[in-house]
């Protein structure tokens, strides 16, 4: 029996990444189709992904999540593996983290790394008041 480790392709924002989807690792069943989708993702969603990864043993060091390509691939792989429901639940847990705690310090490091990779949303310009002239 020949085992295959098929790679998947994806985009995180403007960043292309290749990763091994967990369900395909050493899977000997034939591939019969490809699935593509576009999923809206917030920076808070990506922070939750990093939270899962770091609490699972990954580091923010240059050899892991500090490496841009690796980080993009891990975002895709984790979204596929963990699912959006888990990401949502982790976001709720993150909202409960109190400033000054050890978890808060870790969250701030994760937020800095996510901002390095994907930026921060701009603040919209104030809307001009409409005049009735």
């Amino acid at each position: 029996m020949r085992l295959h480790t098929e790679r998947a392709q994806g985009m995180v924002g403007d960043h292309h990444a290749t990763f091994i989807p967990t369900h395909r690792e050493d899977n000997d069943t034939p591939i019969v189709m490809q699935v593509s989708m576009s999923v809206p993702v917030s920076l808070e969603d990506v922070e939750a992904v990093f939270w899962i990864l770091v609490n699972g043993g990954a580091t923010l060091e240059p050899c892991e999540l500090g490496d841009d390509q690796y980080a993009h691939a891990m975002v895709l792989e984790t979204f596929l593996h963990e699912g959006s429901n888990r990401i949502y639940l982790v976001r709720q847990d993150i909202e409960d983290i109190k400033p000054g705690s050890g978890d808060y310090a870790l969250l701030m490091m994760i937020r800095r790394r996510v901002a390095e990779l994907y930026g921060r949303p701009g603040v919209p310009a104030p809307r001009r008041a409409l005049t009735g002239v």
Side-chain angles (χ1 to χ4, degrees), residues 3-81:
L3 298 177
H4 301 279
T5 301
E6 299 295 335
R7 294 193 171 269
Q9 308 290 318
M11 298 287 292
V12 182
D14 295 331
H15 310 279
H16 180 266
T18 301
F19 65 101
I20 299 171
T22 304
H23 74 286
R24 291 303 312 165
E25 192 167 5
D26 296 331
N27 188 332
D28 64 343
T29 60
I31 296 171
V32 297
M33 71 179 81
Q34 295 285 329
V35 175
S36 296
M37 61 181 86
S38 179
V39 180
V41 175
S42 69
L43 292 174
E44 291 79 9
D45 296 330
V46 178
E47 289 168 1
V49 166
F50 271 57
W51 187 262
I52 290 168
L53 290 165
V54 169
N55 282 287
T59 71
L60 296 170
E61 298 299 318
C63 62
E64 288 189 356
L65 296 174
D67 176 83
D68 292 357
Q69 268 313 112
Y70 182 78
H72 300 315
M74 290 298 95
V75 168
L76 291 170
E77 186 172 322
T78 302
F79 257 101
L80 179 63
H81 178 69

